[in-house]
């Protein structure tokens, strides 16, 4: 139903706002982050009303998540159990984000990703190999 796009879009905007501004623990932030991506994806699956805002923000969240984490992981060779737990949580979140993007690749039309083509191409040198592979799949799906 096309009207559902509005609800999912505004839920995604709310979750994104909470994730960016609220003082919640990292695990809760990751849950909001995943909910944001899922809601933007659902909004896009129902209509293109918010395609430029939703697709751009969805891709930014996905591509920025491990961009900073990969750089931080490279700096610290020694890890305490807390850091290992944090890295494990981040890896699980990244896998969930990749899975959601993979689902959207199957669900959305290629032209919807094409609206953010320059954003996709500009991130092809992402430090995370799994993300690069999925990014290549998205780009080839568009072309």
């Amino acid at each position: 139903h096309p009207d559902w796009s509005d609800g999912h879009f505004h839920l995604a905007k709310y979750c994104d706002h909470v994730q960016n501004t609220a003082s919640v623990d990292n695990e809760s932030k990751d849950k909001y982050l995943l909910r944001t991506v899922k809601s933007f994806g659902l909004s896009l699956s129902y209509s293109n009303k918010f395609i430029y805002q939703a697709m751009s923000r969805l891709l930014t969240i996905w591509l920025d998540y491990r961009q900073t984490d990969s750089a931080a992981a490279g700096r610290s060779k020694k890890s305490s159990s807390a850091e290992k737990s944090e890295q494990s949580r981040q890896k699980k979140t990244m896998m969930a984000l990749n899975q959601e993007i993979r689902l959207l690749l199957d669900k959305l039309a290629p032209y919807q990703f094409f609206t953010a083509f320059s954003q996709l191409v500009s991130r092809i040198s992402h430090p995370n190999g799994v993300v690069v592979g999925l990014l290549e799949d998205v780009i080839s799906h568009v072309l």
Side-chain angles (χ1 to χ4, degrees):
H1 198 275
D3 292 338
W4 292 0
S5 178
D6 290 14
H8 288 293
F9 177 77
H10 291 294
L11 175 61
K13 293 286 284 182
Y14 171 76
C15 289
D16 192 31
H17 175 74
V18 170
Q19 184 261 336
N20 284 321
T21 59
S23 59
V24 293
D25 59 279
N26 287 337
E27 190 171 341
S28 295
K29 283 187 177 192
D30 284 354
K31 287 179 183 178
Y32 279 111
L33 186 106
L34 288 168
R35 172 46 53 199
T36 301
V37 169
K38 286 180 183 184
S39 294
F40 276 138
L42 284 169
S43 175
L44 289 168
S45 71
Y46 289 117
S47 89
N48 292 323
K49 184 175 181 180
F50 302 105
I51 192 166
Y52 295 105
Q53 300 98 323
M55 183 60 77
S56 176
R57 186 63 188 142
L58 180 151
L59 292 173
T60 298
I61 290 169
W62 171 51
L63 295 167
D64 281 354
Y65 184 73
R66 284 299 281 201
Q67 188 85 23
T68 55
D69 296 338
S70 294
R75 284 193 296 258
S76 64
K77 300 273 183 190
K78 288 186 175 179
S79 297
S80 69
S81 64
E83 288 172 338
K84 286 181 182 178
S85 173
E86 179 71 9
Q87 289 173 355
S88 173
R89 181 194 55 74
Q90 290 172 349
K91 188 174 183 177
K92 285 180 186 176
T93 302
M94 191 69 231
M95 288 185 342
L97 284 169
N98 287 341
Q99 181 181 8
E100 190 62 33
I101 298 299
R102 175 78 53 200
L103 289 171
L104 290 174
L105 187 57
D106 294 335
K107 187 185 273 189
L108 301 179
Y111 74 87
Q112 290 176 296
F113 284 101
F114 192 72
T115 61
F117 190 72
S118 62
Q119 184 179 6
L120 293 168
V121 172
S122 72
R123 300 294 191 98
I124 200 67
S125 63
H126 197 279
N128 185 302
V130 176
V131 171
V132 170
L134 186 51
L135 197 52
E136 289 171 349
D137 289 348
V138 172
I139 291 171
S140 67
H141 181 68
V142 169
L143 299 177

